[in-house]
Amino acid sequence: MSDIKLKIYPAQNGDSFLLSAGNTYLLIDGGYVNTYENFILRDLKSLADAGEALSHVIVTHMDQDHISGLLKLFEQNKAEDFIGIGNVWHNSYRHINPEQEEEKAIVKNEELEEIKGGAYLKKVSSDEETPIGAIQGSSLAAFLLEGKYPWNAEFGGRAVATDNGQHILLTEDIRLTLLSPNIEKLRKLERAWRKELIKKGYLNGLSETGYYDDAFEFMVAKHRERPRYREKKIAKATPDIANLASQSFLEDTTAANGSSMAFIIEYKTIKLLFLGDAHPGIVAENLKSLYKPEDFPVRFDLIKTSHHGSWANNSPELYSLIDSPSYVFSTNGLGHNHPDDETIAHIVSRKSEYTRKLFFNYPLEKAKAFDESSLREEYNYEIIQADGETPLEISF
């Protein structure tokens, strides 16, 4: 039996992973509502039937493609208490601004009622995103408070941020090293949130209602990333890897992605790197503070690429510091057309003594284009594509 297993759920253009290390189980993000209903729920009930529980639920950040399924999990667990959850990592407004100063945020009455109703959820079917409204009466923050879950406990109830702690023992055998976010990234998200409230013309009264967490979660989860306009290239049957890998890089600056958790998980001799949707600059900065120059590139057993393989989140600098025989791309390619060709090309173009394996949890035309025998032989890599209907599992 393998010591560690990673289950990569079909989460459309989102993320959701179940990591088992020995008898410890961690759920990292929850995809959309149908990710939970079609896959996560069944697995969690099986764990509960076997007398197991989740050690941690890690909410890397509040984008809908990461949080919607977790809202359904906590809603159902509130009603049925069907699985134990030992700890939750989730940054809400109370962690960014613990004082909750008497700021006069301006909220429309009808919007405030919607905020009281809970976070906005989405299902995704094929290429259609379907809003299914709000969970009545709660947000993720409210579910955690009502359920009395240990919330950011390893950080003393403060924000999950590198300023508040970096080396965390999740269990006696599992060590986590946090690489993103820092407080500065979280405060940038808070400023963006407050600006959005004001822009929407909200009325006075939010500070008296106590709905800061709900409003914060509601607005951030509804955030839709603006498309990054890039020069369109004529598609070629066979990608020009050398040319793609040499393209100029411009880092993601969105506040929501900047708030994303990124971390290393170590269990026995296995070392995994989960990049969430994080900005690559802060990850590179922290890696350089953790390792000696002669340690680079640091070899991980698996790397989950940042932001579904977006080129703006997977920089040449970052990949000069890290490498792995296994890379994971979690996306169906819809929405923002991830992953970017440049990211794939940059990963495979580096010389390596081992054959890199690129795992895709959906069949993608982009992956198919790179699955060319001459390219695989020249650059020493493999393409593994799942069917998009069943979870992709990797064991170590």
Side-chain angles (χ1 to χ4, degrees):
M1 180 177 179
S2 301
D3 281 334
I4 189 164
K5 293 181 180 180
L6 180 66
K7 182 172 283 192
I8 305 159
Y9 290 113
Q12 304 292 334
N13 60 327
D15 275 1
S16 185
F17 311 95
L18 182 64
L19 179 67
S20 60
N23 293 320
T24 300
Y25 300 88
L26 295 85
L27 181 62
I28 304 168
D29 288 331
Y32 290 97
V33 171
N34 43 328
T35 312
Y36 171 74
E37 293 174 341
N38 296 338
F39 304 105
I40 299 173
L41 176 59
R42 176 187 60 211
D43 285 348
L44 297 189
K45 287 194 170 182
S46 294
L47 287 179
D49 289 343
E52 303 289 355
L54 288 172
S55 169
H56 287 73
V57 172
I58 297 177
V59 188
T60 61
H61 62 304
M62 282 188 279
D63 278 354
Q64 287 175 319
D65 58 328
H66 295 252
I67 196 174
S68 290
L70 297 179
L71 278 153
K72 292 303 292 185
L73 163 60
F74 283 98
E75 179 192 33
Q76 186 165 350
N77 214 39
K78 176 184 176 182
E80 301 178 23
D81 192 22
F82 71 92
I83 189 164
I85 299 174
N87 298 274
V88 181
W89 288 14
H90 169 54
N91 287 329
S92 191
Y93 184 75
R94 66 183 56 238
H95 304 106
I96 300 172
N97 186 352
E99 303 301 324
Q100 294 197 11
E101 298 172 359
E102 289 295 317
E103 301 163 352
K104 293 295 181 181
I106 304 175
V107 184
K108 290 180 182 176
N109 289 329
E110 63 270 21
E111 293 261 1
L112 182 57
E113 289 304 312
E114 193 173 8
I115 287 168
K116 289 179 184 178
Y120 194 81
L121 300 183
K122 277 193 175 179
K123 283 188 176 182
V124 175
S125 177
S126 183
D127 60 348
E128 295 291 328
E129 293 189 4
T130 306
I132 62 172
I135 293 178
Q136 290 304 309
S138 228
S139 63
L140 182 54
F143 283 134
L144 299 183
L145 291 171
E146 292 168 8
K148 295 182 169 55
Y149 295 100
W151 187 358
N152 295 0
E154 290 93 343
F155 296 84
R158 299 175 295 169
V160 178
T162 55
D163 312 69
N164 295 332
Q166 197 162 22
H167 302 290
I168 310 294
L169 281 177
L170 298 185
T171 70
E172 291 182 359
D173 300 319
I174 303 174
R175 175 179 174 175
L176 185 146
T177 303
L178 189 67
L179 302 173
S180 173
N182 58 18
I183 294 297
E184 180 183 352
K185 294 283 188 184
L186 293 175
R187 285 179 177 160
K188 182 179 179 182
L189 180 63
E190 180 205 12
R191 291 192 295 270
W193 168 77
R194 198 181 315 124
K195 181 179 179 181
E196 189 68 16
L197 287 175
I198 294 170
K199 185 175 76 173
K200 284 186 171 290
Y202 280 35
L203 300 173
N204 291 330
L206 183 60
S207 58
E208 288 87 1
T209 68
Y211 289 107
Y212 274 104
D213 286 327
D214 300 63
F216 182 67
E217 185 176 313
F218 177 78
M219 294 302 302
V220 175
K222 283 186 70 173
H223 161 81
R224 291 192 64 82
E225 183 181 349
R226 292 180 181 179
R228 297 175 65 88
Y229 295 102
R230 307 166 66 207
E231 181 183 354
K232 292 185 178 181
K233 301 179 178 65
I234 299 173
K236 295 182 179 179
T238 302
D240 185 341
I241 289 179
N243 180 55
L244 287 166
S246 67
Q247 295 299 304
S248 60
F249 173 79
L250 182 64
E251 180 160 318
D252 179 12
T253 59
T254 58
N257 289 340
S259 73
S260 176
M261 298 175 200
F263 44 82
I264 301 166
I265 289 182
E266 296 175 80
Y267 175 73
K268 297 183 178 180
T269 61
I270 304 298
K271 186 159 58 176
L272 313 178
L273 176 59
F274 290 87
L275 291 172
D277 282 6
H279 293 165
I282 186 175
V283 176
E285 178 184 337
N286 279 300
L287 286 170
K288 286 187 281 190
S289 72
L290 292 169
Y291 293 94
K292 299 175 182 177
E294 59 267 27
D295 294 331
F296 296 115
V298 180
R299 183 186 181 280
F300 295 93
D301 294 279
L302 177 141
I303 295 173
K304 199 294 287 188
T305 59
S306 182
H307 199 203
H308 322 290
S310 164
W311 178 227
N313 297 79
N314 295 273
S315 68
E317 179 195 21
L318 177 58
Y319 282 106
S320 73
L321 303 175
I322 61 176
D323 204 355
S324 175
S326 298
Y327 287 83
V328 169
F329 295 84
S330 175
T331 181
N332 62 359
L334 300 177
H336 292 276
N337 200 28
H338 293 147
D340 289 328
D341 291 343
E342 292 88 340
T343 303
I344 300 173
H346 196 78
I347 289 171
V348 303
S349 64
R350 296 167 297 157
K351 292 186 186 255
S352 174
E353 295 178 356
Y354 47 78
T355 301
R356 293 189 184 90
K357 294 182 179 181
L358 278 60
F359 293 90
F360 298 83
N361 61 343
Y362 284 85
L364 301 178
E365 287 300 318
K366 287 189 177 186
K368 183 179 178 181
F370 279 87
D371 198 10
E372 166 66 43
S373 59
S374 61
L375 294 179
R376 296 198 313 267
E377 183 176 346
E378 179 179 358
Y379 291 100
N380 194 21
Y381 68 88
E382 295 179 21
I383 299 287
I384 298 96
Q385 296 187 79
D387 59 9
E389 301 293 331
T390 55
L392 175 62
E393 296 189 51
I394 304 174
S395 299
F396 302 90

